[in-house]
Amino acid sequence: MTSIAETTIPSAVPVDDRRNRLWVRLWLYAVLVTLFALVIVGGATRLTDSGLSITEWKPIHGVIPPLSEAEWQEELDKYRQIPEYQQINKGMSLDAFKTIYWWEWGHRLLARGVGFVFALPLAFFWLTGRLERRLKPKLLGILGLGALQGAIGWWMVASGLVDRVDVSQYRLATHLTIACVIFAAVMVVARGLAPHSGGRAVPRVQNLAGWLVFAVLFQIYLGGLVAGLDAGMTYNTWPLMDGAIVPQGLFAQSPAWLNLFEKPKTVQFVHRLGAYALLLLALWHCVETWRRAPGSTHARRAVILLLLICIQAAIGIATLLMVVPLGWALAHQAMALMVLGFAAAHWRATKGAYPPETRVELRS
């Protein structure tokens, strides 16, 4: 008689599953590279004030850029209708318009590309049975978040087409943060599929590593507010700001909470405080990890993470002192993504790889 019994795979992942995990992981790394490029081009689009050059959301037709002088002129005429042109760029030549248009078009093309790079292989791995059950809801969630991000991107652009000469800093910070959440989520899944040389870290180390991921994301959100308000263009000194450690007039507007989101001076100061807090948290995590697991892979990664955050702080200070040149600003944004990616991978590593799946076997 044949019976069905559920058995658990031994701790070692079978060869076929290891091969599937490798291919899925390589695909997710390719997604990460594409996301990285997307966020950097998005930063350049913001820094060059190019984000409002395309005034319509055409998810399908918008893949094709203007192909004739008449089409270019039509796009410029649409741009001339919005406040940014009328109040800031009035008289802009067609050649100058093409420059900002290409930045925004490239950003939107990359966004569409990420969708294909993620969705098509996901369908292939799913339909060919190469995805573990636990991965399916995680990857579907990431796909859904990516679709939502496209709508958030247009929601952001729309805020600058009628009554403003730029996009809302609230919406810009939201758009950037959701992009980084997607980036971190992909990294966590990829790292969970990778072989791990060490065991799980103790819960305290795991928890601190998780809080570090949250802190990096929060600091990126604050950076989005800074970018949205061009707050880095003023008070370009460090460690003093406006001649003091704690500058005056931080809460001059009423209600007081509004200063945290709409007053450039306050927003920049809070971003500085966030950097100090993140650095202290990383130092605490490093010391705690070495105290509880000296010499382990977890401890070594904690040191690397602390060093990456120190490098990021140095790039941020240099960017501020030089009044936000394009190259340094993009380096600051790129390094923020690297810190986030490493923090997310480190947190997943403290929890260990995903365990082998439970299989159903036929026994006679």
Side-chain angles (χ1 to χ4, degrees):
M1 180 179 292
T2 302
S3 64
I4 298 178
E6 190 173 69
T7 61
T8 302
I9 297 178
S11 57
V13 180
V15 173
D16 288 345
D17 288 349
R18 286 205 305 270
R19 187 181 299 112
N20 288 338
R21 284 190 170 193
L22 173 62
W23 284 111
V24 172
R25 195 165 77 251
L26 291 175
W27 157 55
L28 293 177
Y29 288 152
V31 172
L32 286 171
V33 171
T34 312
L35 283 169
F36 186 89
L38 173 63
V39 174
I40 299 307
V41 171
T45 300
R46 167 60 191 166
L47 289 163
T48 56
D49 293 322
S50 304
L52 297 177
S53 56
I54 301 179
T55 59
E56 296 175 325
W57 191 28
K58 298 180 287 187
I60 306 301
H61 179 63
V63 174
I64 304 173
L67 300 176
S68 66
E69 286 300 304
E71 291 179 349
W72 276 112
Q73 192 60 52
E74 181 182 352
E75 292 297 324
L76 177 56
D77 288 341
K78 293 175 184 176
Y79 179 63
R80 285 171 173 162
Q81 306 305 311
I82 70 172
E84 182 181 78
Y85 174 86
Q86 296 165 0
Q87 299 180 38
I88 297 177
N89 290 331
K90 196 170 184 66
M92 173 180 273
S93 68
L94 183 59
D95 286 340
F97 172 72
K98 287 180 180 180
T99 300
I100 63 172
Y101 185 97
W102 282 123
W103 275 117
E104 175 64 6
W105 182 83
H107 182 53
R108 295 192 187 194
L109 183 67
L110 271 173
R112 295 179 176 98
V114 168
F116 282 105
V117 170
F118 192 89
L120 294 182
L122 173 61
F124 169 78
F125 287 125
W126 191 310
L127 294 174
T128 56
R130 289 174 168 83
L131 282 183
E132 299 171 25
R133 285 192 302 264
R134 68 167 60 84
L135 297 182
K136 293 177 180 179
K138 299 178 191 296
L139 295 173
L140 281 178
I142 294 172
L143 181 64
L145 199 56
L148 175 64
Q149 173 71 336
I152 291 173
W154 175 247
W155 175 64
M156 176 190 69
V157 170
S159 68
L161 297 179
V162 180
D163 299 319
R164 300 173 56 106
V165 297
D166 55 8
V167 299
S168 161
Q169 73 272 21
Y170 297 99
R171 301 186 188 189
L172 174 66
T174 300
H175 187 54
L176 174 62
T177 305
I178 296 299
C180 291
V181 167
I182 294 170
F183 185 85
V186 173
M187 179 63 80
V188 166
V189 175
R191 190 66 181 93
L193 294 172
H196 290 243
S197 57
R200 292 166 63 92
V202 298
R204 184 169 180 80
V205 170
Q206 291 183 33
N207 292 337
L208 281 173
W211 278 110
L212 266 171
V213 176
F214 176 80
V216 174
L217 280 169
F218 184 67
Q219 181 66 354
I220 287 172
Y221 173 79
L222 294 176
L225 292 177
V226 169
L229 291 169
D230 290 326
M233 301 294 184
T234 56
Y235 306 105
N236 302 101
T237 59
W238 186 87
L240 300 182
M241 181 178 178
D242 199 18
I245 295 294
V246 180
Q248 296 181 348
L250 292 175
F251 293 95
Q253 297 182 23
S254 182
W257 64 266
L258 204 61
N259 295 273
L260 298 172
F261 300 95
E262 299 192 3
K263 187 176 178 63
K265 185 178 189 177
T266 309
V267 169
Q268 189 197 126
F269 181 69
V270 172
H271 188 52
R272 293 188 186 204
L273 292 182
Y276 303 147
L278 178 59
L279 189 58
L280 288 175
L281 180 60
L283 179 60
W284 179 20
H285 171 64
C286 187
V287 171
E288 190 72 10
T289 306
W290 272 93
R291 189 172 73 84
R292 293 176 178 269
S296 66
T297 56
H298 305 305
R300 289 193 291 271
R301 284 195 311 272
V303 172
I304 294 173
L305 181 56
L306 176 60
L307 291 175
L308 289 174
I309 291 173
C310 289
I311 293 170
Q312 170 67 343
I315 294 174
I317 292 168
T319 304
L320 177 72
L321 295 178
M322 290 186 286
V323 197
V324 198
L326 178 62
W328 279 90
L330 291 179
H332 188 49
Q333 185 161 327
M335 194 65 196
L337 272 183
M338 293 175 64
V339 169
L340 175 63
F342 193 89
H346 172 59
W347 171 67
R348 179 62 242 185
T350 64
K351 298 164 71 68
Y354 294 128
E357 283 200 310
T358 299
R359 291 281 181 84
V360 175
E361 293 183 352
L362 292 178
R363 289 181 176 176
S364 56

